Amino acid sequence: MHKHHSALGLATAPFNSARGIALAERPVDPVTLIRPHAASRAARYFVEKFPGTSMYAVKANPSPALLRVLWASGITHYDVASIAEVRLVAQTLPGATLCFMHPVKAEEAIAAAYHEHGVRVFSLDSLEELDKIMRATGNAADLTLCVRLRVSSEHSKLSLASKFGAAPGETRQLLFAARQAADALGICFHVGSQAMTPEAYAQAMERVRAAIVDAAVTVDVVDVGGGFPSSYPGMEPPPLDRYFETIHRAFESLPISYSAELWAEPGRALCAEYSSLIVRVEKRRGSELYINDGAYGALFDAAHIGWRFPVALLREPDSGARDMEFSFYGPTCDDMDHMAGPFLLPADVQAGDYVEIGMLGAYGAAMRTAFNGFGSGKTMVVDDEPMTSLYLDDAIEPVPSNVVTL
Ligand SMILES: *Cc1c(COP(=O)(O)O)cnc(C)c1O
């Protein structure tokens, strides 16, 4: 019964599911599960249904295996925010188009991105950054410059409203200056992560309209940024095509040229379903479970911003007990390694049980540290379905797994 598994899977039945791996292997360390078919289905959905170009926001999960799945599924553009991300994507996907969408960059990073990696798209939210970009590129004449507007995050679970973005009083001068310097001029924004209603984009597009009218410039690109939601307990969003319809309608009514392009930068929505985690319960104290991954592992958001992830007990036979609410402690000696949840699990959970924590593909796997000697553990490919999905009802086929080299 016992088989050997390489770092990146190629596991065969009955091991190719969360349950199969937990029960057959009884892993001592946490196991990261990856589901290429789920990421592929999300990518196909955006490629087929978003009425413009979808570029993947790499920071949500920079795993090279994931990048290759997205590329094979039709995602050709990548939103990178650091020179390390530029190098990573350039090396992993040599044909990809890279867009450097961090509004505050090191001048050296801009220069390296432009001269060594062919990056031509940059975002900015100040005149200082515009000067920096022009100096670093030797006043290049082939730039697409995207001015980032500050917009409200009121409809999103994670605000991005305070750090970046030009305020209404600053946009006219900035758009004007960027128009002079750019080959193509774009306007971008970010409504905040996990936007729970399409209205967030409708409101932001009104800010775009006001900025264009006020500055009276020709705009070639409107980039609606990220923020497309995924599904978590207590945070079930409306269907994504409602977001696409709202964005499309708003885009069509903007005072921009007929040939203007619409872009988006989904991060979470493309990769949340890609990954989950098998953890072991090491101790139970009432309604508190001490598990072997936590705030310094893949559960940063569960600890620090109280994010709730779906959980399931992996036990055979299934527990007949009713669900109750649990909180989790992670494995490190730090009190902050605590995840309040609540996480709903059968009332008879005990030490030695395995639990799958779902929807960790975005800002989960990417945040892992080695603090306190934890953080190792293997990664395995599975082909069972993610614990929830926004894409199952839509007859979108993932690319066949044999066309992707993980
Ligand atoms: C983080 C980020 C994204 C991705 O956001 P999601 O909420 O994960 O979709 C897109 N664009 C920019 C500029 C970002 O900083």
Side-chain angles (χ1 to χ4, degrees), residues 55-60 79 81 101-103 123 148 158 160 164 188-190 192-195 201 223 225-229 264-271 362-363:
M55 50 172 139
Y56 173 55
V58 173
K59 80 165 185 292
D79 161 7
M101 303 307 280
H102 194 307
S123 79
R148 169 105 167 235
L158 277 173
L160 288 168
F164 300 127
C188 61
F189 57 80
H190 197 305
S193 206
Q194 185 76 2
Y201 294 89
D223 175 355
F228 297 93
E265 305 164 357
R268 179 186 303 282
L270 288 183
C271 61
Y363 309 109

Side-chain angles (χ1 to χ4, degrees), residues 65 144 297 331 391:
T144 295
Y391 306 103

Side-chain angles (χ1 to χ4, degrees), residues 2 225 259 292 339:
H2 220 83
S259 60
N292 60 354
M339 283 83 31

Side-chain angles (χ1 to χ4, degrees), residues 62-125:
S63 143
L66 171 63
L67 294 175
R68 284 190 280 269
V69 170
L70 297 177
W71 174 259
S73 306
I75 301 287
T76 55
H77 289 56
Y78 293 79
D79 161 7
V80 286
S82 62
I83 192 62
E85 286 184 357
V86 169
R87 293 194 182 109
L88 171 74
V89 182
Q91 190 172 30
T92 311
L93 308 173
T97 301
L98 305 185
C99 305
F100 207 151
M101 303 307 280
H102 194 307
V104 183
K105 297 168 284 299
E107 198 164 322
E108 295 82 352
I110 300 167
Y114 181 86
H115 294 290
E116 293 166 32
H117 299 288
V119 178
R120 295 296 178 265
V121 183
F122 296 89
S123 79
L124 61 134
D125 65 0

